[in-house]
Amino acid sequence: MEQFDQSLLHKYQRNQCTPEEYERVLEWFATPEGREYLDTVMTQDLDLATPDVTMSASQAGDLYQRILDTTGQEQLRYRRPRWFTGLKVAAVLSGTILLAYGGWKIYHQHRNTIIQTAYGEVRTVVLPDQSEVTLNGNSTLRYAGNWEGRKDREVWVEGEAYFSVKPSAVPRAFLVHTASDMKVEVLGTTFNLVDRHGRMQVVLNSGKVRLHSNKTPEEAIIMQPGDLVEYKEQVRTKVKNHTNPQRYSSWKKNSLQFENASFAELAQLLEDTYGVTVEIRDTSLLHQEFTGTVPSQQMDMLLEGLSQLFHLKVSHIDNTVIIEKKNK
């Protein structure tokens, strides 16, 4: 039998594991060696236990199966341990079963919830503290399923999201981790965050946030409402004060507002949010900037709006969008 970390098993038996350690133990229980260990220890406990009619055989079986189901291992169902059968299971609730159930509950409470939007989809998620996160298309949000007893409220984001953070009754930081290894610290605020291709942009609508790289936390920047801050590869590249924050989160209301935007930026936005390939046939367009608002509820509506607003020929063929100037 594989020798698992015995000190970790002792911590598990004493109910002293961290959520990560509980997950590690339960993952080992899903291996053949872990199943054999669990079977052996439970059998020994049942042999030594004093009868105390607290659980039926079917109840014990259901409990064990829930533990196994939580690990997501279908192969665990190939047999029932020998302690499933016999009169003792009907008469005894083993201390080991209690420990396993406690571990199952903690694993269930702390496992991550992952929300991923499809291309073009906008979805609002209510977090355990009643804060709301609205995800733009092709974006991912991850957070622990239960925040009770946690020091901080933490989420992980990749893509684009709008946050409306509720103040905590007990002072607790709200931390947003990004794929760019940047961190946003929040204390009750609303802001828009984009994190794609190593570039992170935060626009603050209300409240106050602190931005810093995990590698250089001492170089933090405090944002005020109306501020826009951009990082590229964790290096601050742009800081704007008193911008119009509503423009950057206009996608929440099914419209896109552009101000002095380039067609290269437009092409990147379409590819990231709608999953299309964009071809700009006339390269002179790449050097032009444009300002305006177009509907974005459906991509075809967006393309039609772009065509009319900027006098362009926009074609959508299969998964490719072709943008070129109209012939006069």
Side-chain angles (χ1 to χ4, degrees):
M1 182 185 303
E2 178 185 344
Q3 289 297 312
F4 189 67
D5 186 343
Q6 295 300 306
S7 64
L8 193 54
L9 285 175
H10 290 321
K11 287 182 67 176
Y12 176 82
Q13 292 167 355
R14 293 193 299 269
N15 202 30
Q16 295 176 345
C17 285
T18 65
E20 291 75 17
E21 289 172 334
Y22 270 109
E23 186 168 352
R24 183 180 165 195
V25 171
L26 289 174
E27 286 177 351
W28 183 68
F29 282 163
T31 67
E33 293 79 10
R35 290 199 301 269
E36 184 178 349
Y37 170 88
L38 192 60
D39 187 2
T40 300
V41 172
M42 286 187 174
T43 300
Q44 291 173 349
D45 280 359
L46 287 169
D47 287 340
L48 296 174
T50 302
D52 178 12
V53 180
T54 55
M55 179 177 282
S56 69
S58 62
Q59 287 174 321
D62 290 343
L63 171 58
Y64 184 70
Q65 192 59 56
R66 283 194 302 182
I67 297 171
L68 304 188
D69 289 345
T70 302
T71 67
Q73 302 291 330
E74 286 291 329
Q75 63 268 29
L76 291 180
R77 302 177 186 176
Y78 76 101
R79 68 174 178 88
R80 288 188 172 188
R82 56 184 178 275
W83 50 266
F84 252 41
T85 58
L87 296 177
K88 286 186 178 179
V89 175
V92 179
L93 177 57
S94 151
T96 302
I97 296 178
L98 277 174
L99 288 170
Y101 182 55
W104 171 81
K105 286 201 300 182
I106 291 176
Y107 175 82
H108 179 74
Q109 290 173 353
H110 291 276
R111 65 180 179 177
N112 287 330
T113 297
I114 300 175
I115 309 295
Q116 185 169 16
T117 54
Y119 285 115
E121 178 188 9
V122 174
R123 180 174 177 183
T124 298
V125 180
V126 179
L127 298 175
D129 69 341
Q130 300 306 301
S131 295
E132 293 186 357
V133 182
T134 302
L135 295 174
N136 205 351
N138 186 31
S139 301
T140 301
L141 171 70
R142 177 169 62 90
Y143 62 93
N146 191 325
W147 285 358
E148 291 181 8
R150 288 179 173 264
K151 177 183 177 182
D152 298 320
R153 301 171 288 170
E154 293 184 277
V155 300
W156 287 257
V157 171
E158 185 171 358
E160 183 166 14
Y162 182 86
F163 286 82
S164 180
V165 179
K166 298 287 186 183
S168 177
V170 178
R172 285 198 300 167
F174 189 104
L175 305 178
V176 182
H177 303 273
T178 71
S180 299
D181 205 26
M182 300 291 299
K183 184 186 294 182
V184 183
E185 297 184 38
V186 184
L187 289 174
T189 189
T190 57
F191 62 97
N192 196 76
L193 182 151
V194 183
D195 185 15
R196 301 188 195 272
H197 312 296
R199 167 184 162 271
M200 190 188 84
Q201 178 194 82
V202 177
V203 179
L204 184 61
N205 293 57
S206 65
K208 183 184 294 186
V209 300
R210 180 187 294 111
L211 304 180
H212 64 77
S213 164
N214 289 331
K215 295 182 180 179
T216 56
E218 68 281 358
E219 298 178 3
I221 180 171
I222 305 296
M223 294 183 63
Q224 303 294 337
D227 286 354
L228 178 154
V229 178
E230 258 185 22
Y231 286 84
K232 189 171 184 180
E233 304 297 342
Q234 300 186 42
V235 177
R236 194 167 72 234
T237 60
K238 184 186 297 184
V239 177
K240 289 184 179 179
N241 297 319
H242 308 301
T243 189
N244 177 11
Q246 303 301 326
R247 177 166 65 85
Y248 295 89
S249 56
S250 60
W251 55 269
K252 289 177 68 248
K253 298 181 179 180
N254 298 317
S255 68
L256 293 178
Q257 297 180 19
F258 299 100
E259 182 177 334
N260 300 325
S262 70
F263 279 92
E265 292 172 341
L266 170 64
Q268 189 66 67
L269 183 148
L270 292 175
E271 291 183 351
D272 289 339
T273 307
Y274 296 96
V276 295
T277 300
V278 179
E279 293 183 12
I280 299 179
R281 293 282 176 87
D282 191 331
T283 56
S284 66
L285 289 174
L286 294 174
H287 305 289
Q288 294 185 14
E289 293 183 341
F290 59 93
T291 298
T293 301
V294 293
S296 65
Q297 187 171 8
Q298 296 178 355
M299 189 175 65
D300 288 339
M301 293 174 59
L302 167 60
L303 297 179
E304 179 63 25
L306 290 172
S307 175
Q308 294 181 8
L309 184 62
F310 306 117
H311 308 291
L312 300 170
K313 180 182 178 182
V314 182
S315 307
H316 186 191
I317 304 172
D318 295 329
N319 202 45
T320 301
V321 172
I322 302 170
I323 299 176
E324 52 192 332
K325 288 183 177 180
K326 283 184 177 180
N327 295 324
K328 293 183 180 180

